[in-house]
Amino acid sequence: MVSTSLATFREMLTHEDCAPFCRAACLLGGRDVVVTPPAADVSKYVTKCIRGLSEAAKTFPRWKRGTCVECPPIDVGEDEEPFVFSYHQDVSKNPHIIKLKDDLTSYLKQLTDEEGAIQRYKESWKIYDTQHGLWDEKARRELDKLTESSEPPGVVYFDAKLETYAGLANDALGRPRTTDVDFLRIDCDDVSKGVAKQSLSWRDQYGKVLRDVSFEKMTGLVDSWDAWRRDIDGTQCDSIETLMFVLNTIAKVVDASMDMELQYADVSERYRTLERHEVKIEANELELAHSLAEKWRDLYVFARTKDLRLAKVKEDFRAVTTEQSEAFQEELKELRTQFYSDGPIAGKVSLEEGVLLMVDYAETLSKCVAKKDELVNAEDLFGMEMTSYPVLVEVQSEMARMKIIYDLYSSFEKFREDMSLTAWGELDVELLKEGVDKAEKEIKKLPKDLKELSKYKAYELVVVNFKESLPVIVNLKNDAVKEAHWQQLEELTGVSIGDVKTITLGKIFSMELSQYGEDVDEIVVCAINELKIEKEIYAIEKCWSTTELDVREYKKDGQVRGHVLGAAEEINLQLEDHLLNLQTMSGSRFVGRYAQKVRTWEKTLNMVVETLDVWYNVQRKWMYLESIFIGSEDIRMQLPEEAKKFDKINKEFKTIMKTTHEHPVVVKAATEKEFDSLTEMGDRLDKCQKSLTDYLDTKRNAFSRFYFISDDELLSVLGSSDPTSIQVHMLKLFDNVKELKFGSGAAKIQGMISSEKEGFDLCTKDVTPPEKGASPVEGAVEEWMTLVEQAMKDSLKVISKTGIFNYANAARSEWILDPDVLGMVTLAGSLVWWTWEVEDAFRAVKQGDKHAMKTLEARLTRQLNELVAMVRQDLNKINRKKVNTLLIIDVHSRDIVDSFIRESILNAKEFAWESQLRFYWDRDVDDCVIKQCTGFFRYGYEYMGLNGRLVITPLTDRCYMTITQALTFKLGGSPAGPAGTGKTE
């Protein structure tokens, strides 16, 4: 049942053959179209119907399970109706029922939403507003403009508007009064009538505008026609003037015939349009519009008739017109003569006078032209031959040419007058230049025939003179020109200027400065340079009034020791620049009034330069000596007098720096007084430093190696009570001793360590095998360092002797890698035994073994190969360094033996062997000695560590020999040559 009801209801709503069962009205509210009841109410009503159909099942109670007995109602509360078990729950869950309800709901939504059929119907009426603008305010404003317009559009425009709005009204009234939208029948009679009414309202308003415009135009035509009739009919032709007036009026009527026919035809058409669109018009007005053509024809016939009747009168006045024309010709000739002799074109007339005469002659010519026109008109009206007036044309032509020149002159004079009123202080120089340039361009644009006139040349001269005075005026506008310079200009030109602040450009023009161009330029140049000097002096004064010294705290070991000056590069640059500027200014011929200031500042800044030089020099000495005398009590004890002197200097310097810190302005701090004080302080510091230098020289004389380190480094050693402070300087004091091995409490020195970490212990002298020893740290540093140096040499001698002795008792490779054999011992020992082996080979040769040298060469080669094999082994850094160094020496040794074999050197007395650097252990002196040629030296035993050797070349051997021979003869040597030739070795 529910399903059938819902399906039937759907058919009633949507089927085309089903008649609408609901009514609605479409109303017009202003410009809005409204459907009542609204779409939302229709939706609610139909939804309620759908809900009612689906809930009809509630009226059928359910039976109890297994019986035909109805379920009784159940009370659920006092205020609520009893609950009845019905078939509604089952029906509402049925898929078919749900689909039917969804279809109806969807249909209803499509019908009533913003894009539904009802809304589309409303939109069909809104086109009268959106497309045709029946309620558009913009169209209303356009209509208002038509009412106020002085030139309204033509009849075609109004006809189109009237036709459009009439058509819109008919269209609205022609639409059906009712429209079916599915199940809804909408009555649109109210909207149709409202749209038609609005359209006709627009039609009536445009018709009123057309009627008003047409009536005004028609009235104007009729009034002008009536005036012409009165002028023709009511005027007595008893004089030539009245006759000409009547004839002119007749001529106007005849000439206006075509135009009038067009105008009255237009008016008639306008009224026919109004009649066709049923616009309300007064009967007499409409009658007048229809009679315009007849009214014009009557006037035209009347005018032509009047003209024929005046034929005899016109004949009488022709003679009078001829006499007037001849008299006028004579007047024009007199005017031309006067124009050329005394007029604005005359050479004797100035441009100022010519401007006034141009006004007079223009007025005279205007009268002549009017009289000429009057005579020509009379001749035309009387049917006479036209008279020409060439004299008048000639004068007019010359006046036109003169007007061009005089207009330019007047414009230029106006420009000059306007500029003359400008206050000097407010003068815009660019505007002045633009005016002159404009005048000059206008002159050049004039035709060539005008440039031959005297007035053109006169005007050109005015512009040129004014332009020539411009540079002078521009120069005077310079800010550098002061009151004193204006006084010079008064004396030069003889024109009193008065207060410069109130002067105008007109006063400047009156001075005629173009006559004094060079003198004015000189005054301006002087003013500019004086201003430049003044600005430079002001800049110097401003700069040095605020420039301050950079005074900083001086800290030493984390403690503030006073104040010192920081870097002053910027101050020095400023001083150089400003002194150079002052020197340039003092040599200038414009310095005049500022000479005293320039000399004063030059003296002040020179004093600043000298004072700062002395100041930084004194500060540098003070900082150096302060760290010595104030920071080291040992130095103060050793130099008590110098310490007292420095304390006094220190106090004075700190006082100066404290004052400078409080008042750091440069020119106030670096005065002549400070210069004298600092100079005297510097001399006293020099004396203190000389005493200190003498003291250091005594220490260096005691231990010469102290010459290898600077004064500061030596003072750091002398000023410290800690012996280990010498460690940082060991590489400078010894060739390759990086540090000393101190014993417990730093009371003894037990050995030395090289920079390669190789080391040795000091040992007892002349003990074999060597025993450990130590050098005591007692007394002054130079004393125990002397003992250390001697202990080093003694210990290395014992170690070297032991190593050389052990060379013969062990395998060479084992001897090299022995940790007790130092790197320098391996070199010395190898060279000692190599020397012995070579000389032993010489002895064997002498005894008859001819192959002894080759045998030696083979053994040396074998030793060299053993070293190469050792290099490839896993060696520690020290042993690898020893082997690498020994390789270089062994290669050189083997090469020497090879050369002996090649050159057959078989005697130890030959120069080839004597020239080699030979090492021996001389048992007589029990020491290692070195021989070369006549040179004989003892081994120095300076600890060399593992500092390595460079490749020995033939040039190196020559250097060895040269230097050893020089030393033998108490001379010196300094190797020089290209890179890689053995100088370092």
Side-chain angles (χ1 to χ4, degrees), residues 788-853:
V788 169
E789 180 184 18
Q790 189 58 47
M792 174 191 72
K793 294 180 178 180
D794 293 343
S795 300
L796 288 175
K797 181 178 179 182
V798 173
I799 293 171
S800 297
K801 182 178 179 181
T802 302
I804 294 171
F805 176 78
N806 290 334
Y807 183 90
N809 299 325
R812 190 168 187 263
S813 59
E814 295 177 0
W815 178 78
I816 293 171
L817 299 178
D818 187 349
D820 294 331
V821 179
L822 300 176
M824 61 179 288
V825 175
T826 60
L827 296 179
S830 296
L831 288 172
V832 168
W833 282 103
W834 172 77
T835 302
W836 181 86
E837 288 174 344
V838 173
E839 292 188 348
D840 184 62
F842 284 143
R843 285 191 294 271
V845 171
K846 189 175 181 180
Q847 292 174 3
D849 186 1
K850 297 181 179 180
H851 300 287
M853 192 62 68

Side-chain angles (χ1 to χ4, degrees), residues 722-751:
D722 182 10
T724 60
S725 63
I726 197 72
Q727 296 280 46
V728 297
H729 309 298
M730 288 303 296
L731 282 175
K732 293 182 179 180
L733 296 174
F734 294 88
D735 191 55
N736 194 13
V737 178
K738 186 176 182 182
E739 58 184 52
L740 299 173
K741 291 196 291 185
F742 282 88
S744 177
K748 293 181 179 181
I749 296 174
Q750 298 175 339

Side-chain angles (χ1 to χ4, degrees), residues 32 69 84 107 190 299 320 331 446 459 464 485 493 505 534 641 667 669 677 750 790-791 794 805 914 925:
D32 297 325
V69 180
V84 178
Y107 160 75
D190 182 74
L299 175 61
V320 177
E331 290 179 11
L446 293 179
Y459 173 53
V464 169
H485 305 109
T493 61
L505 188 58
E534 182 181 351
E641 291 298 323
V667 292
S677 300
Q750 298 175 339
Q790 189 58 47
D794 293 343
F805 176 78
E914 288 287 336
V925 296

Side-chain angles (χ1 to χ4, degrees), residues 12 55 104 170 567 716 754 869:
M12 290 174 63
E55 291 180 356
L104 287 168
N170 294 331
S716 68
S754 71

Side-chain angles (χ1 to χ4, degrees), residues 262 276 480 750:
L262 293 175
R276 189 171 69 254
Q750 298 175 339

Side-chain angles (χ1 to χ4, degrees), residues 53 73 144 330 385 413 495 633-634 674 932:
L53 291 174
D144 294 339
E330 293 300 324
E385 184 180 354
E413 283 299 304
V495 178
E633 290 297 328
D634 294 339
E674 297 298 332
Q932 189 175 30

Side-chain angles (χ1 to χ4, degrees), residues 650-718:
N650 183 46
K651 184 178 180 181
E652 293 175 3
F653 184 77
K654 286 186 175 180
T655 301
I656 292 174
M657 292 309 302
K658 183 180 179 182
T659 304
T660 306
H661 177 64
E662 294 172 353
H663 306 286
V665 177
V666 176
V667 292
K668 294 182 179 179
T671 59
E672 187 174 357
K673 178 183 176 182
E674 297 298 332
F675 174 75
D676 295 338
S677 300
L678 290 168
T679 303
E680 188 265 338
M681 193 182 298
D683 294 339
R684 290 155 59 195
L685 285 172
D686 288 339
K687 292 178 182 178
C688 289
Q689 190 163 0
K690 185 176 184 304
S691 300
L692 179 62
T693 302
D694 293 341
Y695 167 70
L696 295 179
D697 286 343
T698 59
K699 298 295 182 180
R700 288 189 171 108
N701 291 332
F703 182 63
S704 300
R705 290 178 184 262
F706 280 154
Y707 279 107
F708 297 156
I709 60 177
S710 65
D711 290 351
D712 292 343
E713 292 171 331
L714 179 56
L715 285 169
S716 68
V717 174
L718 298 175

